[in-house]
Amino acid sequence: MTRATIELGDVTPHNLQQLKRLNQVVFPVSYNDKFYKDILEAGELAKLAYYNDIVVGAVCCRIDVLDGSRRLYIMTLGCLAPYRKRGIGAKMLEHVLNYVEKDGDFHSIFLHVQVNNQSAIDFYKKFGFEIVETKEQYYKRIEPADAHVLMKLLRPHKNVSEPEK
């Protein structure tokens, strides 16, 4: 029995439809055309996950700036149910963690998780994320509508010599 291969690939106009279909299946919310247009510009911040050459997952992030600090926002990170618990989510999240580590100028990584999605909460906690707040009525048209904000603080290693304000 050969070992399964998990690989990450770029999102391109040619496979964007696969990303759309995957997100429709995996997430209870739908994403608009602007979301997908932005994803095509995201480069390393958007990846499809392949399990033995089949698209089974994807991660899509964007860079937010708050009070002068760069934060990476994980908009979506998901995997088709039959392929969960096989290291695919971990591979996608490790890609994101490596990206921010190499960049060296991010304050934190954050995301929203539906309050009843315990498996996602447990997954992120394994990687050092913590629940920092709960937003009521975050989601429209899905129950429960509340979302936890999970965050992982990073230590930016650029601008270390700046004095604290």
Side-chain angles (χ1 to χ4, degrees), residues 2-36:
T2 56
R3 255 178 72 73
T5 56
I6 302 168
E7 291 172 327
L8 300 183
D10 294 338
V11 177
T12 69
H14 301 288
N15 60 25
L16 190 63
Q17 203 52 47
Q18 287 182 288
L19 174 64
K20 285 182 181 179
R21 278 202 298 269
L22 183 96
N23 283 350
Q24 285 166 352
V25 173
V26 174
F27 300 108
V29 292
S30 54
Y31 296 91
N32 61 23
D33 290 343
K34 184 186 180 331
F35 173 91
Y36 291 105

Side-chain angles (χ1 to χ4, degrees), residues 8 16-17 20 34 44 57 113 126 138-139 151 157:
L8 300 183
L16 190 63
Q17 203 52 47
K20 285 182 181 179
K34 184 186 180 331
E44 288 301 301
V113 175
K126 277 196 300 212
Y138 176 77
Y139 296 107
M151 183 185 289
H157 43 84

Side-chain angles (χ1 to χ4, degrees), residues 92-109:
M92 291 188 286
L93 189 54
E94 281 158 9
H95 171 78
V96 170
L97 294 171
N98 289 339
Y99 177 90
V100 295
E101 175 64 31
K102 251 190 287 202
D103 178 282
D105 195 26
F106 281 94
H107 169 271
S108 56
I109 306 176

Side-chain angles (χ1 to χ4, degrees), residues 117-161:
N117 190 345
Q118 197 57 49
S119 62
I121 294 163
D122 294 343
F123 169 78
Y124 287 105
K125 282 185 169 177
K126 277 196 300 212
F127 288 89
F129 285 76
E130 290 173 23
I131 295 173
V132 292
E133 67 174 306
T134 301
K135 296 204 170 185
E136 292 185 6
Q137 301 301 310
Y138 176 77
Y139 296 107
K140 319 273 182 277
R141 296 186 284 282
I142 61 168
E143 285 299 324
D146 300 352
H148 288 312
V149 178
L150 277 83
M151 183 185 289
K152 179 181 175 79
L153 273 179
L154 306 165
R155 292 168 219 19
H157 43 84
K158 286 184 185 169
N159 310 333
V160 223
S161 60

Side-chain angles (χ1 to χ4, degrees), residues 59-98:
V59 57
C60 301
C61 306
R62 70 167 188 248
I63 297 168
D64 283 0
V65 179
L66 180 74
D67 301 329
S69 292
R70 289 167 79 229
R71 304 168 352 138
L72 192 77
Y73 179 58
I74 299 175
M75 298 185 289
T76 62
L77 188 154
C79 181
L80 294 172
Y83 295 92
R84 290 183 190 149
K85 305 269 185 249
R86 297 182 189 211
I88 298 160
K91 180 135 184 150
M92 291 188 286
L93 189 54
E94 281 158 9
H95 171 78
V96 170
L97 294 171
N98 289 339

